[in-house]
Amino acid sequence: MKKLLIIATGGTIASVSTAAGLTPNISGEDLVANVPLINELCAFDFIQPMNIDSTNMRPRDWIHLCRDIIENYDNYDGFVILHGTDTMAYTAAALSYLIQNSPKPIVLTGSQQPMANPFTDAKLNLYHSVLYAIDEKSCGVVVVFGNEVIAGTRAHKQRTLSFNAFTSMNFPALAHIRGNRIIRSYTGADAGVICLDEKAGPHDSRTHTSLQTYTKLNERVIVLKLTPELNPSIFYLLKRDYDAIVLETFGIGGIPDHDGEYEKAINDWISSGRIIVVTTQVPEEGLDLGVYQVGSTYAHKDGILAGDDMSTEALVAKTMWILGQTHDQREISELFYRVVFYDRVPNQRTDSPKEQDTSLHASQDTKAL
């Protein structure tokens, strides 16, 4: 019988009603006790590194979860993290970069309603997470929620109330769960051809390189969303506290150019040794800076990294991870354009063969298991 480690962190699934509102208060062991069917599937151990609303989840907590998994990696067949939904996509993305090429599944799940609610989605999400975690073909960091399995780099919370809270951004779900059946989407090596196949083999990502784990992040990353008449002086003000901006532009990649002040501010930011990751505030279909004149100025500029079809959550986590490993501009670019567990579909306009090379040496902060 397989053995999983349940890592409980709090969230709605563990919450109870108080005078101040829902507050996490239930242990992981008590949560599992509410779904007795999963005891027939495998054995469990439990740890509770924190019991918080996921709004309070921070990068230091991602590192804590990463260390818990690394320290216990050889003793379990998989890991299930019980987590609040509000920042689950950020945690899933962060763990996808901190723990790469994992042959064992690392599953994040939670619920929209507390476990004690008579109409909760918690029981089914927990059951499906365990079902997926014990399957021989499962690997890597994923979110299991609302009958879907989503790559940790592609999850995005799309709805605040509905049970299908998460969507897979610009990429197919890795699998759908129907009852006790896992119906997988087989992803070809180029991450561009998808065919549904219940008997599909393991995801390509775990077969090429060995497990790599990291223990450093740079938290000095901010998301800046363009709005009409946003003063470009904000770039100068942010320099004290941040090393990188994830810039959510208009449309497919538009940055105002009516007086040249944005370009001046952006050039100043880059010349100071900082980086800008450009994405779009439009949820689906991604970025292409070369389409319109208002974006083409930045399409091939040094210091500008194009987020293409990546989610904002993945861009934040990947930038924190990269800047935790290196400050060398060449290595930053190489790491950014490297595909990590389906986080981006390679774009020939921005991804040179050199940048897709996966032979870049591991930094001194990297540990191979």
Side-chain angles (χ1 to χ4, degrees):
M1 178 178 281
K2 288 197 171 185
K3 191 173 186 179
L4 302 181
L5 180 64
I6 304 292
I7 304 175
T9 69
T12 297
I13 192 172
S15 288
V16 297
S17 294
T18 70
L22 290 174
T23 303
N25 195 40
I26 303 175
S27 71
E29 194 163 3
D30 288 339
L31 290 172
V32 169
N34 280 272
V35 192
L37 281 176
I38 61 177
N39 290 309
E40 301 173 8
L41 300 177
C42 63
F44 301 97
D45 281 335
F46 303 86
I47 59 173
Q48 182 104 34
M50 61 202 75
N51 202 2
I52 60 175
D53 189 300
S54 72
T55 294
N56 292 320
M57 188 70 68
R58 296 186 283 181
R60 68 184 68 176
D61 300 316
W62 301 339
I63 296 293
H64 192 160
L65 292 173
C66 175
R67 291 186 185 277
D68 284 340
I69 293 170
I70 293 170
E71 290 170 3
N72 290 283
Y73 197 84
D74 293 335
N75 300 322
Y76 297 93
D77 298 297
F79 305 85
V80 175
I81 302 172
L82 305 180
H83 195 289
T85 60
D86 288 351
T87 58
M88 185 185 294
Y90 286 99
T91 300
L95 290 177
S96 297
Y97 297 112
L98 292 171
I99 307 173
Q100 297 183 27
N101 309 312
S102 172
K104 297 180 181 180
I106 300 166
V107 179
L108 289 90
T109 196
S111 64
Q112 292 284 68
Q113 293 291 331
M115 181 65 80
N117 189 296
F119 303 106
T120 186
D121 54 331
K123 294 183 180 181
L124 191 59
N125 286 342
L126 180 51
Y127 179 79
H128 282 167
S129 295
V130 171
L131 191 72
Y132 186 81
I134 63 173
D135 190 87
E136 293 292 339
K137 298 171 186 174
S138 298
C139 64
V141 179
V142 300
V143 170
V144 174
F145 207 101
N147 301 309
E148 288 194 331
V149 181
I150 301 170
T153 58
R154 291 289 185 168
H156 172 73
K157 188 175 182 182
Q158 187 78 0
R159 303 170 186 88
T160 59
L161 298 174
S162 302
F163 286 174
N164 59 335
F166 288 88
T167 188
S168 182
M169 294 303 299
N170 299 317
F171 198 77
L174 298 182
H176 297 267
I177 302 178
R178 300 289 180 263
N180 292 323
R181 300 171 66 204
I182 300 172
I183 304 171
R184 296 178 179 274
S185 304
Y186 175 69
T187 7
D190 63 353
V193 180
I194 310 297
C195 61
L196 289 176
D197 183 357
E198 212 178 346
K199 299 180 181 179
H203 301 308
D204 296 332
S205 61
R206 74 171 177 181
T207 62
H208 300 314
T209 54
S210 61
L211 174 70
Q212 295 287 329
T213 64
Y214 302 78
T215 57
K216 285 192 176 181
L217 296 169
N218 182 334
E219 301 173 4
R220 291 167 56 89
V221 177
I222 189 172
V223 177
L224 179 61
K225 182 175 183 177
L226 290 184
T227 57
E229 211 58 45
L230 178 71
N231 195 320
S233 64
I234 187 69
F235 288 89
Y236 303 102
L237 297 175
L238 292 173
K239 287 172 69 174
R240 186 191 72 174
D241 296 316
Y242 296 98
D243 297 326
I245 292 174
V246 177
L247 184 64
E248 291 190 339
T249 64
F250 296 117
I252 201 168
I255 299 173
D257 66 354
H258 33 66
D259 58 7
E261 288 302 310
Y262 266 99
E263 184 175 4
K264 181 179 177 181
I266 289 172
N267 286 338
D268 175 77
W269 180 274
I270 293 170
S271 65
S272 70
R274 295 168 173 83
I275 65 168
I276 291 183
V277 177
V278 180
T279 185
T280 170
Q281 57 193 257
V282 180
E284 298 183 8
E285 299 181 349
L287 174 94
D288 188 343
L289 288 169
V291 174
Y292 291 97
Q293 180 182 343
V294 289
S296 61
T297 300
Y298 307 97
H300 303 290
K301 183 182 285 291
D302 290 340
I304 297 281
L305 301 172
D308 292 330
D309 67 338
M310 291 178 66
S311 70
T312 295
E313 293 92 337
L315 289 171
V316 169
K318 192 169 194 177
T319 305
M320 286 184 177
W321 164 65
I322 291 170
L323 295 183
Q325 317 314 313
T326 181
H327 292 287
D328 179 83
Q329 291 295 323
R330 181 188 65 84
E331 290 189 344
I332 287 172
S333 180
E334 289 178 346
L335 286 171
F336 183 81
Y337 289 112
R338 178 184 299 178
V339 178
V340 177
F341 203 62
Y342 312 121
D343 66 348
R344 64 198 319 273
V345 174
N347 186 334
Q348 295 304 315
R349 291 183 298 276
T350 56
D351 298 11
S352 70
K354 180 179 180 180
E355 287 171 332
Q356 292 187 50
D357 179 16
T358 59
S359 64
L360 181 66
H361 65 82
S363 76
Q364 62 182 358
D365 300 319
T366 306
K367 176 183 177 183
L369 294 185

